Amino acid sequence: MSSAAVTPAARLRGLEPDWLNNPKVWRTEVLAGLVVALALIPEAISFSIIAGVDPAVGLFASFTMAVVISIVGGRRAMISAATGANALVIAPLNHEYGLGYLIAAVILAGVIQVVLGALGVAKLMRFVPRSVMVGFVNALAILIFMAQVPEMHHVPWAVYPLIIGGLALMVFFPKVTKVIPAPLVSIAILTVITVAAGIAVPTVGDKGALPSSLPVPGLPDVPFTLDTLTTIAPYAFAMALVGLMESLMTAKLVDDITDTHSSKTRESIGQGVANIVTGFFGGMGGCAMIGQTMINVKVSGARTRVSTFLAGGFLMVLCIAFGPVVSDIPMAALVAVMVMVSFATFDWHSIAPKTLKRMPAGEIAVMVITVTAVVATHNLAIGVVVGTITAMVIFAKRVAHLAHVTAVTDPDGSTVVYRVTGELFFASSNDLVGQFDYAGDPTRVVVDLSAAHIWDASSVAALDAIETKYKQRGKSVQITGLNDPSADLHGKLTGELAGSH
């Protein structure tokens, strides 16, 4: 297949010209999928415990999410599985009503995601500023690191040299060869050492029992009534929003890392489809997993859907066929991998003194607020919303000060021309009314808006208020210089906003 023959749609599906026939790409994708699968197992079990369900429910969710999203998702090489954010959202539902209601909520959340995706919710991502994105990435790195801290508390002393050894292997092994991912080598070597030497340290098996068979499709065990729907709807809606937010932010991050484009609308709908399938297979649902995605894309170098598909496939193979071996993997090995991921994910350039000196104070504030909100709530979605709102407020405040009014009186004293410069919207137009000399101006007043733009009803109301104040004093006002969009808005609303100022 020639490069010229590949359509944009084909590229989006992951069918790049020559990777299918490239053994190096296949090796990278297969090994990346294996590393991700190993890293998914303890996390899926941990999230199952948070949600209050059997470990198999989290592992089945990670399997079906990864496999389905690899086919229907819009972002190549991104990993979707059971996540902590979703587990926190639906845990209260499971504790109060049981697993059947949780599964029903997962299916409904998937339906909501499909609807939101079809309605174009992904387009809202354009309103997330760069400073929020940087804060999101840094907060993510901090959360990944913080999640490993409990694994280093009240553990045998041997855990610490194993973690240090694992980190050393991942730093220095790539200098020898990059054919095999360093995390995979680290996990294998540390497992052999602990098993051969009989070192007693926490293992993957200590997290919970691994499933011994594949999931079977079925309907959730709930009464199909309106009461059930009203019970699960709030949880489903929250899960849908959190899942989409994390998935779209992760997709944007992978776009930047790989310098490639992805379809956010397709990803939104794909997440919904994956959750629907996961629910029918008895899984706890999920969304994009940022830590595992970083292992796949940044650490292992994967770039296609193959790694995502195999991550899910290997997960089940490892659990069912190699359960005893996987159970012996020391948690220290996986902690080392995730610590390495957190350091690789953090944007160290963003906190360099040189960068901080040049960056506007508002941008730094938005980044810090985003990080603080995420770390405080352990919810990436909340942090992104808080950071974005903060950025919008700072932007509105900054732009509001760009509106200026200058007055020039004709030599004969019969006319004064007020020249308004800048963007007129609710934040700037509120100050506009007070910048005119209603009592001292001559009988004819011209307001020149050729260097301004009217954005909203607040600005039209302010102009109406100015005209009213002059008319009360027997003076005429002429508004000139409106560009076409401003003239249209002013024409529609002027005189119709009485009582709004």
Side-chain angles (χ1 to χ4, degrees), residues 383-475:
V384 170
V385 171
V386 170
T388 302
I389 291 172
T390 304
M392 288 178 175
V393 171
I394 291 173
F395 173 76
K397 190 176 178 183
R398 187 185 303 155
V399 175
H401 293 303
L402 297 179
H404 301 289
V405 178
T406 54
V408 179
T409 305
D410 279 359
D412 61 6
S414 64
T415 305
V416 61
V417 178
Y418 283 93
R419 183 173 173 80
V420 182
T421 306
E423 307 301 320
L424 299 182
F425 64 113
F426 60 90
S428 59
S429 59
N430 288 336
D431 298 329
L432 192 65
V433 180
Q435 298 190 50
F436 292 79
D437 184 4
Y438 303 102
D441 282 341
T443 55
R444 186 168 181 267
V445 179
V446 177
V447 181
D448 180 7
L449 295 174
S450 56
H453 187 99
I454 298 175
W455 287 103
D456 60 7
S458 296
S459 304
V460 177
L463 292 171
D464 283 356
I466 292 166
E467 288 190 76
T468 301
K469 287 178 183 294
Y470 276 117
K471 285 177 181 176
Q472 287 171 349
R473 292 168 174 80
K475 300 173 183 181

Side-chain angles (χ1 to χ4, degrees), residues 2-328:
S2 68
S3 177
V6 180
T7 66
R11 287 185 183 280
L12 200 60
R13 290 193 301 271
L15 305 177
E16 276 123 327
D18 55 359
W19 74 264
L20 279 168
N21 301 316
N22 190 331
K24 185 179 177 182
V25 172
W26 275 100
R27 182 179 65 234
T28 299
E29 299 296 315
V30 170
L31 294 176
L34 182 57
V35 174
V36 170
L38 289 168
L40 277 173
I41 292 172
E43 295 235 340
I45 295 172
S46 298
F47 299 147
S48 300
I49 294 168
I50 291 171
V53 298
D54 189 83
V57 177
L59 289 164
F60 287 158
S62 294
F63 161 60
T64 52
M65 286 295 298
V67 169
V68 175
I69 206 69
S70 71
I71 299 166
V72 301
R75 172 64 258 176
R76 298 191 301 270
M78 192 166 80
I79 305 297
S80 289
T83 60
N86 279 337
L88 287 169
V89 169
I90 56 176
L93 178 65
N94 180 63
H95 292 316
E96 190 170 346
Y97 294 96
L99 181 62
Y101 280 80
L102 182 150
I103 300 300
V106 169
I107 295 170
L108 180 58
V111 173
I112 293 169
Q113 287 178 327
V114 170
V115 173
L116 290 175
L119 291 174
V121 72
K123 291 175 183 175
L124 295 175
M125 288 303 295
R126 72 180 71 176
F127 296 108
V128 178
R130 183 188 176 278
S131 50
V132 173
M133 191 69 192
V134 172
F136 168 82
V137 170
N138 290 346
L140 157 67
I142 293 168
L143 285 186
I144 292 173
F145 183 82
M146 286 172 62
Q148 311 316 309
V149 173
E151 303 295 341
M152 304 181 212
H153 271 181
H154 308 299
V155 292
W157 68 268
V159 168
Y160 303 109
L162 284 171
I163 292 173
I164 293 168
L167 289 169
L169 277 167
M170 284 183 284
V171 170
F172 296 110
F173 186 78
K175 299 181 188 299
V176 179
T177 178
K178 293 184 179 179
V179 172
I180 304 174
L184 184 58
V185 173
S186 177
I187 292 168
I189 291 176
L190 293 188
T191 304
V192 169
I193 290 172
T194 53
V195 172
I199 302 171
V201 291
T203 64
V204 170
D206 296 332
K207 288 284 183 183
L210 302 179
S212 56
S213 61
L214 287 170
V216 178
L219 294 174
D221 184 18
V222 294
F224 291 88
T225 63
L226 187 60
D227 283 345
T228 300
L229 182 62
T230 54
T231 300
I232 66 174
Y235 297 95
F237 191 68
M239 181 182 171
L241 291 182
V242 169
L244 282 181
M245 181 79 75
E246 292 207 18
S247 299
L248 293 174
M249 289 295 287
T250 306
K252 194 168 186 291
L253 179 59
V254 177
D255 287 355
D256 294 340
I257 291 171
T258 61
D259 196 24
T260 56
H261 174 70
S262 62
S263 170
K264 306 300 185 298
T265 297
R266 177 174 171 178
E267 182 61 37
S268 301
I269 296 171
Q271 287 290 329
V273 172
N275 271 307
I276 292 169
V277 172
T278 297
F280 282 120
F281 275 91
M284 59 184 273
C287 61
M289 285 200 81
I290 305 163
Q292 274 65 19
T293 297
M294 290 300 100
I295 293 175
N296 197 45
V297 174
K298 204 162 188 177
V299 179
S300 302
R303 292 292 182 271
T304 77
R305 297 178 186 276
V306 173
S307 57
T308 307
F309 181 87
L310 290 179
F314 281 143
L315 176 65
M316 280 295 100
V317 171
L318 288 169
C319 289
I320 295 168
F322 300 98
V325 176
V326 173
S327 295
D328 286 335

